[in-house]
Amino acid sequence: MAEQVTIGRIGEYVDQVVSIKGWLYNRRDKGRLQFLLVRDGTGTIQAVAFKRDLEPAAWEAAAQVTQESSLVVTGIVRADDRAPGGYELGITDLEIVQMAGEYPIALKSHGVDFLMENRHLWLRAPSQWAVLRVRATVIRAVRNWLDDHDFMLVDAPILTPAACEGTTTLFETEYFGEKAYLSQSGQLYNEAAMEAFGKVYCFGPAFRAEKSKTRRHLIEFWMVEPEMAYVDLEGCMEVEEQLVAHIAQEVLAHCRPELEILERDVSKLEAITAPFPRISYDDALKILAEAGEPLDWGEDFGAPHETVLGNHFDRPVFVHRYPAQCKAFYMAEDPVDPKLSLSVDLLAPEGYGEIIGGGQRAHDLALLERRIAEHKLPQEAFAWYLDLRRYGSVPHSGFGLGIERTVAWMCGVHHIRETIPFPRTMGRIYP
RNA sequence: UCCUCGGUAGCUCAAUGGUAGAGCGGUCGGCUGUUAACCGAUUGGUUGUUGGUUCGAGUCCAGCCCGAGGAGCCA
C-alpha cells in the first residue's frame, strides 16, 4: 500500500502513487475499462481501471465490487478535466474490505419516507454529506465567535423539574419517584450563570413534545443561547447580527464544495452583512397590511407573515417590541409603552422565518412576580429564579439561535429534518 | 389536535369495475473515457389492513393503521 491520503487533499499529490480508504459510491462499467467513484468522507474521486494494466485479482475486484462496498484503492493521481472534480486516480491495485449486499438507496430520486427510514445510509448521499458538513461549520463558527468574544460556556441541565416557559408541551419522565421533564430551553439557568460569569452561553438540545408537522419544526433540536449581563435590547441586537454575519462568512469561507453540491445561490449568503434592518412590531404590521397579509394588533406572526417580512429585505431583519401578551413571561417591559415587551426576533429571508428569539429580560422582582401570576405559573417552581432578582439583579439580555433553522437557511434546503443527523419528528424515532 | 393528499415489485410510478405493467436497482452478456453511462436478456407482486357492494374490486363504500403537505405552537 502506498501513502494513505484523503480525497479532500488529493490536489497535493498529483503524479504520486497514493492509497485511499473509502467506499464505492458508483461504478460505470465499460467492459475492459471501469470507472469507480470512490468516496472517503472528505470527498469523492473517480478512479479508473484498465484491464491490461492490472493484476487479474485487482481487475476482478474492480469489476465485481458493489455499490457502497468498503475498499482500499491505490493508484497514481492525475489532473484530468474529464474527471468530476478535476482529479482522478489511475488504479494500480484494489482491495475490497467488505463486499456490500444489494444497497437499498439507488442513485435516483426517492420518497421522503423511504429516505428517512434509511437515514443511517442516506447520510452517505452527497446532498446529506454537504448539509451535515455545513452544520459542523455553523456550530464551529458559533462556538469560536462566542469564545473569542469573552462568552463563557456554561451548560444547562437536560432534566428539569418544571417548565421553563410554561407554553409548549413537555416530555415527561420519572426522576426517582418525582416527575421530571426534558429541557425545552436553557434560558432560566443561563440567567443564573450570567450573574456568576457575566457573559455566558449554553449549547445543547431542546425538546418540545408539540405535535408539529411543518418544515421548520423538530421535536429534538439544538440551540445556542447566549445571556449577557448589563446589556440592553439594542446591545443584544448588535451581538446577534455580528454572530449571524460571522456564521455566513465562515460557511462561505470553508464550504464552497458543499454549497456547490447543494446548488446554493451564494450571493444570498454574501448579502448577510451587518447591520441588519430593525423594525418595530408596529412597523411590521404596516408592511404586512401592504403585502395583503393583515394582522390584528396583539396577534403573533404566523408562517406566512414571517415569510412576507423576511422577503421584504435582502438580509435578516430584526422585529422588536412585540406586544407583551405574545411573548414569554420573563421578557422586560418597554418603559415607553408597558403593553410592549423589549423582545426581538430575527427573521431570515427566503422564507426561513425565525432564526433567533430573544430580547431584554425582566430584572425587576415585582414585575416578574406579577408576570408569573398572570401566566398562571407555579410560583414555587420559580423561587430560585426570583432569587436572581433579589441578589444583585441587573439589566440583561439574551437570545436563542436555532442551529437547524440556521443550517437550512445557509444550505437552502427546504426542510430542517435534513440538517440534523438523526431527526426526531412527530411519529418517527427510527433509526 | 384540525384540514388536504397518498399507500401497487427493493425504489419511483402506471393500470375505463374485466389477464397487475414500465423505468430504475439486482443478476447474466456486450463495449478502452464514462459523467445518475449505454445496449440486449433476465429476475421480481398476499395492490397498507379489516369488512362491505358486485357475476367480478388495485379501482367503488365504511372503519382502522401508516406516511406526506399545511395550520396552530415555537428555535
Side-chain angles (χ1 to χ4, degrees):
Chain A
M1 197 194 305
E3 182 186 358
Q4 195 212 323
V5 305
T6 57
I7 296 167
R9 296 178 181 277
I10 202 71
E12 300 168 19
Y13 299 93
V14 174
D15 296 329
Q16 296 182 42
V17 175
V18 301
S19 287
I20 290 169
K21 295 181 173 178
W23 297 263
L24 185 72
Y25 173 64
N26 191 20
R27 182 160 58 92
R28 287 188 273 270
D29 184 341
K30 280 281 295 174
R32 272 164 286 187
L33 172 62
Q34 302 278 344
F35 294 97
L36 307 183
L37 272 99
V38 176
R39 58 173 193 83
D40 72 346
T42 70
T44 304
I45 191 170
Q46 170 171 286
V48 188
F50 289 101
K51 185 174 186 180
R52 69 169 183 212
D53 295 344
L54 288 181
E55 297 294 323
W59 169 256
E60 203 57 30
Q64 301 280 312
V65 65
T66 52
Q67 184 188 0
E68 288 304 329
S69 289
S70 43
L71 49 75
V72 181
V73 61
T74 302
I76 185 163
V77 180
R78 293 191 293 253
D80 192 316
D81 290 341
R82 294 171 297 186
Y87 297 101
E88 68 178 21
L89 194 71
I91 296 180
T92 55
D93 195 17
L94 188 151
E95 177 200 334
I96 295 171
V97 176
Q98 190 257 331
M99 187 73 113
E102 186 180 338
Y103 193 64
I105 303 181
L107 300 177
K108 46 166 278 191
S109 62
H110 293 281
V112 171
D113 185 40
F114 175 76
L115 290 171
M116 281 302 169
E117 199 68 17
N118 289 283
R119 181 62 173 170
H120 52 299
L121 302 177
W122 188 27
L123 295 178
R124 307 177 186 192
S127 62
Q128 303 308 302
W129 175 87
V131 170
L132 293 176
R133 301 238 318 173
V134 170
R135 177 189 172 96
T137 300
V138 166
I139 292 173
R140 192 168 63 237
V142 165
R143 302 190 76 129
N144 285 349
W145 192 90
L146 291 169
D147 291 342
D148 290 347
H149 287 78
D150 301 323
F151 285 78
M152 180 170 149
L153 175 69
V154 185
D155 283 317
I158 302 295
L159 290 167
T160 59
C164 283
E165 311 199 0
T167 50
T168 51
T169 315
L170 301 174
F171 279 103
E172 191 178 304
T173 182
E174 195 253 39
Y175 196 82
F176 304 111
E178 286 181 48
K179 283 184 180 178
Y181 307 90
L182 298 186
S183 174
Q184 58 180 334
S185 164
Q187 147 90 52
L188 303 189
Y189 295 97
N190 250 352
E191 293 188 52
M194 170 275 297
E195 289 189 1
F197 301 101
K199 291 201 289 184
V200 300
Y201 70 99
C202 64
F203 184 87
F207 307 88
R208 300 197 180 165
E210 291 289 337
K211 295 191 171 177
S212 300
K213 287 189 56 134
T214 79
R215 65 196 183 90
R216 47 171 66 145
H217 287 91
L218 292 171
I219 300 303
E220 176 182 307
F221 65 99
W222 287 69
M223 189 156 58
V224 61
E225 295 175 278
E227 195 71 32
M228 302 160 283
Y230 294 106
V231 169
D232 62 8
L233 178 64
E234 189 56 38
C236 186
M237 287 192 266
E238 284 166 21
V239 169
E240 290 182 29
E241 67 191 353
Q242 292 299 323
L243 175 60
V244 170
H246 182 255
I247 292 169
Q249 282 160 23
E250 288 295 291
V251 169
L252 284 165
H254 300 293
C255 296
R256 290 291 173 157
E258 290 83 357
L259 295 172
E260 196 163 324
I261 286 170
L262 295 166
E263 298 179 349
R264 182 63 168 129
D265 179 356
V266 293
S267 72
K268 304 280 192 194
L269 303 185
E270 286 162 351
I272 305 171
T273 54
F276 300 159
R278 292 149 164 74
I279 62 171
S280 68
Y281 175 85
D282 288 348
D283 294 336
L285 288 192
K286 287 174 198 156
I287 292 171
L288 290 171
E290 285 165 20
E293 289 280 356
L295 195 68
D296 290 334
W297 195 93
E299 297 285 307
D300 204 354
F301 303 139
H305 307 108
E306 286 188 3
T307 301
V308 166
L309 292 170
N311 289 338
H312 195 78
F313 301 89
D314 68 340
R315 64 191 72 195
V317 56
F318 288 115
V319 181
H320 56 78
R321 293 181 173 80
Y322 287 77
Q325 65 199 70
C326 42
K327 287 294 172 185
F329 73 94
Y330 49 71
M331 298 312 303
E333 201 171 72
D334 184 354
V336 178
D337 181 352
K339 292 198 303 296
L340 301 179
S341 62
L342 293 178
S343 53
V344 60
D345 287 352
L346 184 68
L347 306 183
E350 302 179 81
Y352 287 97
E354 186 182 341
I355 298 295
I356 293 180
Q360 192 170 328
R361 319 302 192 188
H363 65 282
D364 180 70
L365 178 63
L367 171 64
L368 203 50
E369 284 176 333
R370 199 174 77 226
R371 284 282 158 76
I372 288 174
E374 282 168 6
H375 284 77
K376 297 187 171 59
L377 296 169
Q379 197 90 14
E380 61 282 4
F382 294 96
W384 68 267
Y385 185 66
L386 291 168
D387 266 358
L388 303 176
R389 275 72 184 171
R390 290 193 180 96
Y391 308 110
S393 189
V394 296
H396 63 286
S397 299
F399 59 93
L401 179 146
I403 294 296
E404 288 77 19
R405 287 184 182 179
T406 303
V407 174
W409 172 34
M410 292 295 124
C411 292
V413 300
H414 182 252
H415 200 301
I416 66 168
R417 66 186 158 215
E418 290 182 39
T419 65
I420 187 167
F422 293 96
R424 300 287 92 124
T425 53
M426 184 183 144
R428 183 186 296 284
I429 196 168
Y430 176 92

